[in-house]
Amino acid sequence: MSPTPRLTALDALHRSLGATMTDFAGWDMPLRYGSERDEHNAVRTHAGLFDLSHMGEITVSGPEAVRLLDYALVGNISTVGNGRARYTMICQEDGGILDDLIVYRLGEQEYMVVANAGNAQTVLDALTARAGGFDAVVRDDRDAYALLAVQGPESSGILKQLTDADLDGLKYYAGLPGTVAGVPALIARTGYTGEDGFELFVAPADAEKLWQALTEAGAPAGLVPCGLSCRDTLRLEAGMPLYGHELTTALTPFDAGLGRVVKFEKEGDFVGRASLEAAAERAAAAPPRKLVGLVAEGRRVPRAGYQVVTDGKAIGEVTSGAPSPTLGKPIAIAYVDAAHAEPGTAGVGVDIRGNHEPYEVVALPFYKRQK
């Protein structure tokens, strides 16, 4: 028997909106409310409203909070300013990726680590285990927050109707405490769609009031509720990795083409340093498979696990694939041998049920918003 999925504070509201629900990482989450293509296009052209309350918030505080995070994670957290955020990863001793994370600095000695839903317990356990010897406290705050996201070109205008916080001064990957529709919130300029947007961390008891206020304020601007299905196609177009697909414990950040997040120059040891130094050397000497974009010439959709082929030989594997509403064609992200990773490489295909469908190799991302 699998355990009963957890419900977010907005569960009844999603059902009242007719959402198709799905079990995702142990949570009952909205997959879509109507057409996932319409939801996707709304985020690209106007705005979308997401419930992301399944994400895992972990607070790390105390005099040595930053020293703990510098030891436990691969990034240089000591350089994160107050009110700023940083994309980073937590790795095993062998360099394998346990999760990719965003770390928000909330105060002098307080940080919030946001983990993916399916890895939240793993990250919590790892941080707790690694905290030994540091004057710092690791706290599970998953039940303390609901998380709503407003994403898309109209998101700033919608939010400005509901808050007097300085949104214009809020940089990408920064957060500030404020009030939205009378609700206390951490307002962060972050997201997973490739668009401008905001993520709002609030108390679960305030989630429904905030959702309704955002829905009302956003209606004239074309805001619609959005589910996980379009969140996936949006991040795919934006070339953003998804844990369990582009990132796994079998891969180091260097294998994933994300070696830039590993900061060897920071002071002191950190978990996985020796293994990651070796991985960096290997990658420099003989590049591992590279993460590339693939655009279909036909209509058949590639899926995770399908082989990338040339001349009848496997040269890689698809990690994510879907129809792209923005490009109007099926697209995929794949790891391929370095010799076939250059954009425009001829003769590359995807084995879809025995047929080698032709695909164009392109640089990621597939989509980049106009600034």
Side-chain angles (χ1 to χ4, degrees):
M1 287 283 290
S2 57
T4 305
R6 297 180 67 182
L7 308 180
T8 78
L10 294 166
D11 182 74
L13 190 145
H14 297 316
R15 293 171 195 280
S16 75
L17 293 172
T20 300
M21 305 296 287
T22 189
D23 183 349
F24 181 81
W27 290 81
D28 219 5
M29 297 297 295
L31 191 62
R32 70 182 74 81
Y33 298 85
S35 154
E36 54 208 46
R37 178 180 292 269
D38 289 349
E39 291 171 23
H40 178 111
N41 290 334
V43 175
R44 287 276 178 258
T45 57
H46 298 96
L49 177 58
F50 296 82
D51 177 11
L52 306 179
S53 302
H54 60 314
M55 300 296 280
E57 296 87 6
I58 301 160
T59 302
V60 180
S61 59
E64 293 187 325
V66 71
R67 283 193 56 223
L68 164 58
L69 290 170
D70 272 343
Y71 169 71
L73 312 179
V74 301
N76 192 352
I77 308 306
S78 59
T79 60
V80 179
N82 245 335
R84 297 307 302 263
R86 176 82 39 92
Y87 176 79
T88 187
M89 294 183 185
I90 183 167
C91 290
Q92 300 179 146
E93 199 64 71
D94 67 1
I97 303 164
L98 280 173
D99 202 13
D100 61 337
L101 312 162
I102 296 180
V103 178
Y104 296 88
R105 186 173 179 184
L106 303 182
E108 275 308 309
Q109 299 183 357
E110 187 175 5
Y111 296 79
M112 181 169 68
V113 177
V114 180
N116 286 297
N119 294 333
Q121 189 64 47
T122 300
V123 173
L124 177 67
D125 291 346
L127 286 173
T128 302
R130 295 172 189 187
F134 292 97
D135 187 4
V137 176
V138 177
R139 187 175 73 231
D140 181 359
D141 270 346
R142 283 176 288 179
D143 291 336
Y145 292 103
L147 177 56
L148 279 62
V150 188
Q151 299 282 302
E154 301 288 344
S155 55
S156 181
I158 292 166
L159 211 51
K160 279 178 183 174
Q161 299 173 56
L162 300 173
T163 183
D164 55 7
D166 179 18
L167 299 186
D168 291 335
L170 188 63
K171 294 185 171 70
Y172 187 50
Y173 267 70
L176 84 172
T179 302
V180 183
V183 169
L186 171 66
I187 305 166
R189 200 164 209 149
T190 45
Y192 193 51
T193 62
E195 297 297 338
D196 186 22
F198 301 87
E199 295 185 322
L200 308 170
F201 296 86
V202 300
D206 292 330
E208 194 165 328
K209 178 185 176 186
L210 182 56
W211 178 284
Q212 300 288 20
L214 288 163
T215 298
E216 208 170 296
L223 174 132
V224 300
C226 292
L228 293 180
S229 189
C230 83
R231 181 170 148 90
D232 191 49
T233 52
L234 290 160
R235 72 92 195 163
L236 182 56
E237 288 183 351
M240 294 174 165
L242 175 65
Y243 195 88
H245 290 254
E246 289 71 42
L247 310 174
T248 70
T249 52
L251 298 169
T252 73
F254 294 95
D255 297 322
L258 289 165
R260 65 180 181 275
V261 306
V262 182
K263 303 300 182 187
F264 293 122
E265 71 275 14
K266 65 180 174 177
E267 279 184 34
D269 195 18
F270 62 90
V271 176
R273 181 193 268 275
S275 299
L276 290 167
E277 283 172 345
E281 284 176 24
R282 284 196 305 273
R289 284 185 164 178
K290 288 191 170 174
L291 204 55
V292 300
L294 299 173
V295 178
E297 292 179 22
R299 309 303 305 169
R300 299 187 76 184
V301 178
R303 298 297 182 191
Y306 286 10
Q307 287 193 329
V308 183
V309 293
T310 187
D311 295 329
K313 294 197 310 288
I315 57 160
E317 187 175 299
V318 170
T319 53
S320 296
S324 164
T326 305
L327 275 63
K329 298 175 179 178
I331 59 172
I333 297 178
Y335 281 110
V336 301
D337 294 344
H340 301 277
E342 278 303 305
T345 300
V348 172
V350 175
D351 185 338
I352 300 181
R353 297 190 182 89
N355 289 334
H356 292 185
E357 301 285 336
Y359 272 74
E360 181 189 356
V361 179
V362 300
L364 293 170
F366 301 96
Y367 168 85
K368 214 168 194 171
R369 72 183 169 97
Q370 303 301 307
K371 297 292 182 193

